[in-house]
Amino acid sequence: MQQYFVNTLLSEGEEYTFTKEQAHHARDVVRLDHETVRLVDPVSAWFAVCETRGHDFVAVVTAKDEAVNEPRIEITLAMALIRREKFELILQKATELGVSRIVPFESSRCIVHAKKEKSDKQMQRYESILLSAAEQCKRNNVPMICDVIDFDDIEQAKSEVNLAAYENAGRSAAKISDFRINESVTVVIGPEGGFSEEEIRELEEKGFAPVTLGPRILRAETAAIYALSVIGEGAM
């Protein structure tokens, strides 16, 4: 069943007119004429049957969907900037794994740097990826992505529980599963080159606990997906 996010509040029996982009996708790409779709407004989710109505493509709301496909806790991913295609993969997979907020940051070993002249266009692309991923996996909320921050400002990403994946933490180091998370958690993932020792010390001073993700060295995108998967296991 295809899902679409809508900006207006819906109710049973109401008719929703798809936007131009939604109509093209629903009618022309996936051909959903007279099919049931899931519409998610700012408060609730609904089932609706769509059809062509003149030049418009509309959906008539039939019933409320009580399912809330969200984790019980707020999950923040603080992610160092990495190569574009890998960062965009993380956006997609993080959405599927239930992340609530993504905070990109630059650290000393980042090989990718934010460019102010391209920030607006890039943010629009990121938001589009998050929206598409949230619709695909039928979430009730689209994750928020923040502006890129400097590593020194990483405290802006803090939650109730704060963790930092560190490849040199050692086999005896704490694991994500060792922490009890009641309301919210932030996990910090470094760039391709990892964190420097100075950065790990700074993270610890700011209240982020270094954790191991296992004995093998993971790529940055793999580390992010793995960490969110472990958190997600106890968050549903």
Side-chain angles (χ1 to χ4, degrees):
M1 183 185 300
Q2 187 65 45
Q3 173 174 302
Y4 298 95
F5 285 95
V6 305
N7 294 323
T8 57
L9 293 176
L10 301 175
S11 60
E12 190 171 339
E14 187 173 350
E15 183 177 285
Y16 170 72
T17 301
F18 284 73
T19 65
K20 182 178 179 180
E21 292 77 12
Q22 290 172 337
H24 170 67
H25 181 267
R27 178 178 53 197
D28 305 325
V29 179
V30 291
R31 302 182 183 278
L32 295 178
D33 207 5
H34 294 93
E35 298 282 346
T36 298
V37 296
R38 188 175 193 254
L39 302 179
V40 181
D41 70 18
V43 175
S44 305
W46 305 85
F47 295 116
V49 177
C50 53
E51 61 180 70
T52 299
R53 189 78 57 79
H55 294 293
D56 293 328
F57 196 65
V58 304
V60 178
V61 178
T62 58
K64 192 173 185 178
D65 182 6
E66 300 293 346
V68 178
N69 303 323
E70 296 294 324
R72 63 172 178 82
I73 62 173
E74 296 287 321
I75 304 171
T76 294
L77 170 65
M79 185 70 219
L81 293 181
I82 59 175
R83 298 180 189 277
R84 180 181 59 82
E85 65 277 7
K86 295 181 179 180
F87 190 82
E88 292 181 356
L89 173 67
I90 289 174
L91 296 181
Q92 182 186 74
K93 299 309 176 185
T95 301
E96 294 176 17
L97 292 168
V99 76
S100 308
R101 178 175 61 147
I102 299 169
V103 183
F105 67 89
E106 284 193 52
S107 57
S108 64
R109 295 178 179 174
C110 283
I111 60 175
V112 174
H113 302 282
K115 297 180 179 179
K116 292 183 179 180
E117 66 274 13
K118 295 183 178 180
S119 60
D120 290 344
K121 184 176 180 180
Q122 190 171 57
M123 190 60 67
Q124 289 176 2
R125 177 170 174 80
Y126 290 165
E127 290 173 347
S128 177
I129 291 170
L130 295 171
L131 175 64
S132 295
E135 288 181 336
Q136 181 275 323
C137 66
K138 296 181 177 55
R139 286 190 59 173
N140 284 53
N141 299 313
V142 181
M144 176 181 72
I145 184 164
C146 303
D147 292 331
V148 180
I149 62 174
D150 291 328
F151 178 80
D152 289 341
D153 299 320
I154 199 69
E155 284 177 302
Q156 295 179 20
K158 290 186 72 174
S159 298
E160 170 202 16
V161 175
N162 301 284
L163 312 173
Y166 184 40
E167 68 275 14
N168 294 324
R171 292 177 180 269
S172 61
K175 301 176 182 177
I176 293 174
S177 56
D178 294 334
F179 292 83
R180 181 178 180 83
I181 304 167
N182 296 315
E183 297 180 2
S184 62
V185 60
T186 293
V187 59
V188 183
I189 305 293
E192 285 93 339
F195 289 118
S196 67
E197 293 183 5
E198 292 78 9
E199 287 170 334
I200 286 295
R201 283 196 293 270
E202 185 174 344
L203 283 166
E204 290 186 276
E205 290 170 358
K206 291 181 175 180
F208 292 86
V211 293
T212 178
L213 301 184
R216 292 171 296 279
I217 302 300
L218 305 180
R219 291 181 181 271
E221 66 274 20
T222 308
I225 293 169
Y226 174 79
L228 293 174
S229 298
V230 174
I231 291 170
E233 286 183 0
M236 300 304 290

